[in-house]
Every structure is written in structure tokens, then in C-alpha cells.
Amino acid sequence: MEHQTFGPTTREVAVIGQGTWYLDRSDRAAALAALRRGLDLGMTHIDTAELYGAAENIAGEALAGRRDEAFLVSKVVPDHASRRGTLTACERSLARLGTDALDCYLLHWPGAHALEDTVAAFEQLQREGKIRSWGVSNFDVDDLEAVLAIAGEGRLACNQVLYHLSERAIEHAVIPWCERHGVAVVGYSPFGHGRFPGPRTRGGRVLQEIADAHGATPRQVALRFLVRRPSLFAIPKASSPEHAADNAGAGDLQLSAAELALIDEAFPLGPRPRSLPML
Ligand SMILES: NC(=O)c1ccc[n+]([C@@H]2O[C@H](COP(=O)([O-])OP(=O)(O)OC[C@H]3O[C@@H](n4cnc5c(N)ncnc54)[C@H](OP(=O)(O)O)[C@@H]3O)[C@@H](O)[C@H]2O)c1
């Protein structure tokens, strides 16, 4: 499993991690087995959120006895992101996850509470050792500039954003901004939240041909494309150990520049949208 430095932190984090959204709607034993198999195979970046309800409990259970292996991320919903609300939301997540500290804590999307207050709470939580770093999610460049103005350089660890082969909007401005400021970009819904290109589509055929050349799978090829730069991470969600193992296989796959160019052509970037797409 390849690792890259996570933004301004000193942590080397697995480029392919594991999402947990809707994991609580799957068979619990299979969900636990999926997360544990993923951990065994190096997918140690575990992404969860208070919004995902019991998924936090499942992640905590999967990490029992092996918390130190993981880079554990959770998120506060914007409605809770006042200064006091962020502190108490974090405590609730820590309790559900059965841990003393998160590796990174994110604001799930921009909301109505003053960003200054959320950032102040994040900084307090970090001083208290309850989080090791903090970041944001679904932030466009204007929002990122606002965080930078409040917190200064080197504080914002990541921006977690929608990124899959059919939704590459972040390449226009968000990725360049994050790279200029040393912020990790974590791509969520890397399989389009269940809408992965089918084998009969043009794009699907391109993925299959490249996969065949490497003894890999189309999903592994897609994931590798999505983490092709040193700033990029991906967090696919799998609810079976087989799917988790498949996804982990992307962690060491190497694609040539020519293969990356074929994928780029098959899944064109498209024009810059007015606002950042989110799920
Ligand atoms: N920050 C945000 O606003 C935000 C928003 C959305 C998502 N996220 C995070 O990103 C994570 C991933 O995104 P997502 O859950 O929306 O969707 P996703 O990872 O793009 O897709 C998940 C779907 O792909 C299937 N799948 C996974 N691996 C597979 C494999 N190897 N072969 C076949 N099918 C496979 C899953 O099926 P099975 O379940 O049957 O394995 C599920 O149906 C979330 O879980 C969450 O942690 C964050």
C-alpha cells in the first residue's frame, strides 16, 4: 500500500482508505469483516462522520485493539459547528468510536456557524490532544481562502471532496489551490456512490483494457487514476471483505503516463461548474 504525506501533518497515510457511509445498513458482521480485511491490507485511513450514525460504532468496533494502525477521521455536521457544539460533537464521536483521539476532524460542509468559531474549537481540541489535525469537506476555493485567512498557513490538513471519473470538477481550481497551500485532497465517492462505469460503456472498456494489462480490475485502475498526484487520497466504501480486498489492490498498482492519458481522454474533465458539486 502506497503512503503519502497527509497535507501539512507529518503523517504518512495510505493513499487508498475506507469510507463508512451506509455501512450501518449492511450486514454488521460483513461490514466489520470488510473494514478489518481492509486494515489488514493497509487501507488504514478510515473515514466516518457523526452524520453516518451507527457507522461510527462499527468503525470503533473494527478498530478495537488496533486503533494505532489507523488514521481515523470523523466530521462534525455544520449545524453543530459552533464553538461549544463542535467540542461536544467531537466528544460524542470519540465515545462512539471508542478512542481518545481522532487523527483528523473535519467540518462536513460549509454552514451557518461562523468559521472562526469552528476553527477555534478545532484548535482547542488539538491543544487538548483530542484531535491530531483538522480539515474541511466540500469546500470550494472561496471557502478555503476564508479558512486560510482565519487559521494561517499550515493548519488546514485536508479538504475532502467529491471526486470520481465522471466528476472531476475539483481539478479546475480546488486541487491546484490545495497543492499551492500543502493541503491534502481526499476524494470521496470514488466509485460515484455506486454508479461505476459499466463494462459496455466506452470508459468501462478503457478501464478493462488497462486492468487486463496489469492483471488488475477496472475499479483498481480507477482508484489509481484518482490518487495519481502526491496530494490525492481516495476513500472507497466496501461492505464485504471481497470488495475491500479488491480496492486495496489499487494501493500498489502503477499506471504509465500513456495509460493515465487514455483514462483522461475516456472521462473528460468537462467545464468548471458554478459551484462545487457535492453528494
Ligand atoms: N464528505 C462528504 O460529504 C462525503 C460524501 C459522500 C461520501 N463520503 C465518504 O466517502 C466514502 C465513499 O463514498 P460512497 O460511500 O459515497 O461511495 P463509493 O465508495 O463511491 O461507492 C460505494 C459503492 O461501491 C461498491 N463497491 C465498493 N467496492 C467495490 C468493489 N471492489 N467491487 C464492486 N463494488 C464495490 C459498494 O458496494 P458494497 O457496499 O456492496 O461493497 C457501494 O455500492 C463514504 O463511505 C464516506 O466515508 C464523504
Side-chain angles (χ1 to χ4, degrees):
M1 172 61 64
E2 188 187 340
H3 288 65
Q4 297 185 146
T5 309
F6 197 76
T9 75
T10 53
R11 296 292 294 276
E12 293 294 308
V13 174
V15 291
I16 310 295
Q18 305 191 76
T20 62
W21 194 24
Y22 286 115
L23 214 48
D24 55 336
R25 307 227 183 136
S26 305
D27 176 79
R28 193 178 177 94
L32 284 169
L35 285 174
R36 288 175 180 147
R37 182 94 175 103
L39 285 168
D40 294 342
L41 296 170
M43 291 196 296
T44 48
H45 177 175
I46 307 289
D47 178 73
T48 190
E50 62 170 336
L51 186 72
Y52 307 162
E56 283 193 320
N57 301 82
I58 294 171
E61 197 175 331
L63 287 172
R66 54 193 305 186
R67 169 68 185 87
D68 291 350
E69 292 172 40
F71 186 83
L72 180 58
V73 180
S74 192
K75 315 183 193 81
V76 56
V77 291
D79 280 358
H80 294 165
S82 63
R83 179 150 188 178
R84 180 178 293 273
T86 302
L87 301 178
T88 53
C90 184
E91 294 291 351
R92 287 194 300 269
S93 285
L94 291 173
R96 280 190 292 267
L97 287 159
T99 188
D100 296 336
L102 297 169
D103 294 294
C104 197
Y105 194 38
L106 314 184
L107 175 58
H108 211 140
W109 62 89
H113 285 291
L115 210 41
E116 286 82 354
D117 292 345
T118 314
V119 169
F122 284 161
E123 294 283 2
Q124 180 178 337
L125 288 165
Q126 191 167 348
R127 279 194 305 276
E128 292 171 350
K130 290 176 180 165
I131 65 174
R132 300 192 180 110
S133 64
W134 59 265
V136 294
S137 178
N138 297 300
F139 269 46
D140 209 340
V141 166
D142 290 355
D143 310 310
L144 291 166
E145 288 287 357
V147 179
L148 186 69
I150 294 164
E153 293 282 357
R155 300 303 305 151
L156 178 63
C158 71
N159 186 20
Q160 186 184 118
V161 278
L162 180 63
Y163 191 40
H164 57 83
L165 292 178
S166 304
E167 183 47 84
R168 297 173 55 190
I170 60 165
E171 291 181 32
H172 288 285
V174 170
I175 293 178
W177 190 96
C178 288
E179 291 186 348
R180 274 198 307 280
H181 295 282
V183 173
V185 177
V186 179
Y188 72 70
S189 302
F191 298 142
H193 193 64
R195 289 182 301 278
F196 191 71
R200 294 198 184 143
T201 61
R202 176 170 169 253
R205 282 196 295 273
V206 168
L207 295 177
Q208 187 66 62
E209 274 170 30
I210 297 171
D212 289 345
H214 291 270
T217 67
R219 283 173 193 268
Q220 291 172 349
V221 171
L223 288 174
R224 178 43 63 176
F225 180 85
L226 297 172
V227 298
R228 69 197 179 285
R229 301 175 65 84
S231 58
L232 298 178
F233 299 80
I235 46 168
K237 168 258 186 179
S239 38
S240 71
E242 295 75 21
H243 284 175
D246 183 19
N247 300 341
D252 288 317
L253 184 64
Q254 294 300 329
L255 300 180
S256 68
E259 289 169 328
L260 292 173
L262 283 174
I263 301 169
D264 178 61
E265 198 191 346
F267 297 94
L269 171 59
R272 182 177 176 179
R274 275 176 197 278
S275 59
L276 190 69
M278 61 183 279
L279 210 65

